[in-house]
Amino acid sequence: MKKVAVIHTTPVTIPALKKEILAACGQVEVINLLDDSMLPQINQAGKITPGVRCRLHMLMLLAQSAGADIILCACSSIGGIFEEGRAVLSIPALRIDEPMAERAVAFTKIGVAATLQSTIGPTTELIARKAAELSREIAIDAKLIENVGSLLAEGKEAEYDRIVGSALKSLAQNNDVVVLAQASMARAAAGFDEEERRHFLTSPVSGVAALAAELQRD
């Protein structure tokens, strides 16, 4: 049985992603590695710190030593240094948000929504890089939805969905597509009707689809 290691920076993403992976990949073992100190440290410092970089790369090596066949990074904030860490691995390592970014650059006006400041930069940089690879001219409209980051941890799911959902709909009015920069935000768009959901890109589904495709190649 294949073993998938998922690196998380918040416990919020663990149950939903495991369910998504098992549904898409069938008979696989999912192991979760969590360090919830990374995001607070990044947001406090305003940048990726040497300590965060070191801990992430150690987690990647730990996942490999645990027998993982592939690693999935569930956090966009650390996506850039996750890519750096691939150099120390002998197994595939995927960013959950990369397939989403590749889909986004098919559009011209791209909204990017996040609830954490630390996620805005890495996500917009990834989208800009994917556009440059295709020589595409795009406009990125980034919006930080403030003061909602703790609501899910506090069990206030309905309040989170209402605030984030309202901000997402507002951003969609001025853009061709809206990228949800954090996997945990997907729940806020789940309640939209089918027509509304067409305007939003979320990382869990496309990221896990890429994971399943990589597993099938082995």
Side-chain angles (χ1 to χ4, degrees), residues 18-213:
K18 182 174 182 179
K19 181 179 179 181
E20 194 81 42
I21 291 168
L22 293 176
C25 301
Q27 294 296 313
V28 296
E29 180 184 355
V30 179
I31 60 173
N32 295 290
L33 291 84
L34 168 67
D35 184 337
D36 59 4
S37 72
M38 289 185 186
L39 290 183
Q41 189 169 344
I42 293 169
N43 284 299
Q44 183 176 14
K47 61 182 180 180
I48 299 291
T49 66
V52 168
R53 177 179 278 104
C54 178
R55 294 201 302 281
L56 174 60
H57 294 173
M58 289 179 65
L59 281 178
M60 296 172 76
L61 287 170
L62 180 62
Q64 181 171 272
S65 70
D69 296 288
I70 191 167
I71 302 173
L72 180 68
C73 179
C75 178
S76 299
S77 294
I78 57 173
I81 55 172
F82 181 81
E83 290 187 36
E84 294 174 12
R86 290 170 176 164
V88 304
L89 300 175
S90 59
I91 59 174
L94 309 181
R95 287 182 63 163
I96 196 169
D97 55 349
E98 192 162 4
M100 176 179 65
E102 291 168 350
R103 290 180 60 191
V105 297
F107 300 88
T108 302
K109 297 173 66 178
I110 304 168
V112 176
T115 64
L116 292 171
Q117 181 65 50
S118 61
T119 314
I120 291 286
T123 302
T124 55
E125 289 165 11
L126 177 61
I127 292 170
R129 191 177 82 211
K130 292 298 180 182
E133 290 171 359
L134 298 173
S135 300
R136 291 268 305 164
E137 291 189 9
I138 61 169
I140 298 177
D141 178 13
K143 178 178 179 57
L144 177 64
I145 307 170
E146 299 183 280
N147 303 318
V148 296
S150 63
L151 292 177
L152 291 180
E154 295 170 358
K156 299 177 180 178
E157 291 91 350
E159 186 176 355
Y160 175 93
D161 293 347
R162 177 181 57 80
I163 296 172
V164 174
S166 176
L168 293 179
K169 289 182 179 181
S170 177
L171 192 58
Q173 291 177 357
N174 301 312
N175 293 282
D176 301 323
V177 70
V178 174
V179 168
L180 278 60
Q182 293 151 235
S184 56
M185 297 176 68
R187 56 169 297 120
F192 295 170
D193 63 41
E194 185 176 351
E195 178 60 28
E196 288 175 324
R197 287 198 302 271
R198 291 177 56 250
H199 298 285
F200 299 93
L201 297 178
T202 61
S203 60
V205 173
S206 57
V208 170
L211 173 72

